[in-house]
Amino acid sequence: MIHRAVLGSLERFFGVLIEHYAGDFPLWLSPVQGRILPVTDAQLEYCKDVANKLKKYGIRAEVCHGERLPKLIRNAEKQKIPLMAVVGAKEIETQTVTVRSRFGGELGTMPVDDFISRIKLAIENTTSL
């Protein structure tokens, strides 16, 4: 009888990988690479546009809303989301996002295209933003 444990070894590999990172995956490996957080529901449409633009470039992003901003940020940090983009009225007016990194803290306000290019560069180089 020939025994193959291809899937078993793959499952063990993922188990070791998750254990090694303690669920705190780097940007390139994280299931959700970025979370877009609106200050109020008035910014929700712009947030969805930003998320769709990120997805178009292969970046795994989602919009999270319905709570107060500090709670949204705390939840994203507890869930170990590498990047958070906060969107308020000023960001909509200037077509930018204010970026927070779990690794580097506040990264400042930047245009969406710059945000995308920085994420893509960090993913290609397997570094954090």
Side-chain angles (χ1 to χ4, degrees), residues 75-88:
N75 288 344
E77 287 174 348
K78 284 171 99 178
Q79 295 172 3
K80 301 177 180 177
I81 307 296
L83 295 171
M84 293 160 271
V86 178
V87 175

Side-chain angles (χ1 to χ4, degrees), residues 60-113:
R60 297 179 297 274
E62 64 186 17
V63 177
C64 190
H65 65 95
E67 302 283 341
R68 294 181 43 152
L69 184 61
K71 187 169 184 179
L72 292 174
I73 292 171
R74 186 172 54 252
N75 288 344
E77 287 174 348
K78 284 171 99 178
Q79 295 172 3
K80 301 177 180 177
I81 307 296
L83 295 171
M84 293 160 271
V86 178
V87 175
K90 186 170 57 170
E91 284 81 8
I92 292 176
E93 197 174 290
T94 58
Q95 295 293 297
T96 58
V97 291
T98 300
V99 181
R100 292 177 56 97
S101 170
R102 191 168 35 89
F103 308 110
E106 189 78 29
L107 298 178
T109 302
M110 60 185 76
V112 177
D113 292 334

Side-chain angles (χ1 to χ4, degrees), residues 17-74:
L17 193 64
I18 291 168
E19 194 173 296
H20 172 73
Y21 283 112
D24 193 10
F25 295 115
L27 177 64
W28 61 273
L29 186 59
S30 182
V32 177
Q33 294 169 322
R35 184 171 283 174
I36 318 301
L37 308 172
V39 174
T40 65
D41 284 341
Q43 291 88 23
L44 193 56
E45 199 58 43
Y46 179 71
C47 289
K48 288 179 181 177
D49 292 341
V50 170
N52 288 335
K53 200 170 192 181
L54 290 168
K55 288 176 185 176
K56 187 174 94 176
Y57 287 97
I59 299 165
R60 297 179 297 274
E62 64 186 17
V63 177
C64 190
H65 65 95
E67 302 283 341
R68 294 181 43 152
L69 184 61
K71 187 169 184 179
L72 292 174
I73 292 171
R74 186 172 54 252

